Amino acid sequence: MLVQQRKSVPGLTQEEVAARLNTKQTVISKWETGEVRLNVVDFARYCRVVGLDPGEMLAGVGHY
């Protein structure tokens, strides 16, 4: 799952990401483990919050 790459970005806990996205920590956990897939809008918002470039993340889709 693409979002699992976020774990390599230091400095933000799931709780902090959730607060910035106005959601619950459990939602972030499910995104990061691949239990729940993000829609494109949530994916873009998530990437901005954690400091990842959505385009760069998507460029690697075929490599997973």
Side-chain angles (χ1 to χ4, degrees):
M1 180 70 193
L2 291 174
V3 177
Q4 289 173 330
Q5 290 182 12
R6 201 275 302 178
K7 293 179 182 177
S8 66
V9 179
L12 289 175
T13 65
Q14 288 181 346
E15 291 82 7
E16 291 167 326
V17 173
R20 292 180 186 193
L21 292 174
N22 196 32
T23 192
K24 296 179 181 182
Q25 177 273 328
T26 55
V27 171
I28 304 304
S29 176
K30 289 178 181 180
W31 288 351
E32 291 183 352
T33 62
E35 185 177 337
V36 173
R37 292 185 182 198
L38 289 81
N39 64 48
V40 69
V41 173
D42 288 335
F43 176 73
R45 289 177 59 229
Y46 175 88
C47 286
R48 281 193 297 271
V49 166
V50 299
L52 297 173
D53 180 272
E56 287 180 17
M57 298 273 297
L58 292 174
V61 168
H63 302 286
Y64 293 94

